[in-house]
Amino acid sequence: MKDDIESLPSEPEACETRTPHEHQLMFKTLENPLRRKVIKYIGAFGRTKKEIMKELGLSGPQLKFQLDYLVKMCYAEVEGEDCRLNEKGLGLLGNIR
């Protein structure tokens, strides 16, 4: 007799699977229009803090708030003046029009 578990389709890698909680966090992150602009401007290649502030007309504290959120939620990495999206952040970028 064949085991039912063997007939189930294989699941994607654990890193590719999104939980309902992860979806909630993505929606919360993308709800903020300023945060969407920051994500879109950082883009696939990254930007410096000065470039982001100048292009989007943000103050230092405004940018720090947005970047701190993106780093805390594991969507971006900031090293000194350099800001870049990580793999999860690039996934968010793909959802912004």
Side-chain angles (χ1 to χ4, degrees):
M1 185 170 161
K2 189 175 180 184
D3 191 328
D4 288 341
I5 293 176
E6 292 174 0
S7 64
L8 292 174
S10 63
E11 292 191 18
E13 294 289 323
C15 292
E16 296 173 12
T17 305
R18 297 237 193 299
T19 65
H21 179 68
E22 287 176 311
H23 281 282
Q24 248 181 341
L25 292 176
M26 287 175 63
F27 287 125
K28 181 178 179 184
T29 300
L30 293 174
E31 277 180 339
N32 184 302
L34 181 54
R35 195 172 296 131
R36 284 194 309 266
K37 288 179 184 178
V38 170
I39 292 167
K40 192 171 183 176
Y41 188 68
I42 292 173
F45 300 107
R47 301 283 182 161
T48 66
K49 291 178 185 177
K50 288 181 183 178
E51 289 173 324
I52 299 167
M53 287 188 294
K54 182 178 178 183
E55 180 66 25
L56 301 180
L58 301 176
S59 68
Q62 286 175 312
L63 179 60
K64 182 179 180 343
F65 179 81
Q66 298 302 331
L67 290 176
D68 285 351
Y69 181 89
L70 292 172
V71 169
K72 182 179 177 184
M73 294 296 129
C74 298
Y75 293 119
E77 297 171 5
V78 177
E79 293 179 19
E81 285 295 308
D82 297 324
C83 307
R84 68 175 186 261
L85 301 175
N86 58 23
E87 191 173 328
K88 276 179 73 175
L90 292 172
L92 281 183
L93 179 62
N95 288 300
I96 299 174
R97 293 180 189 192

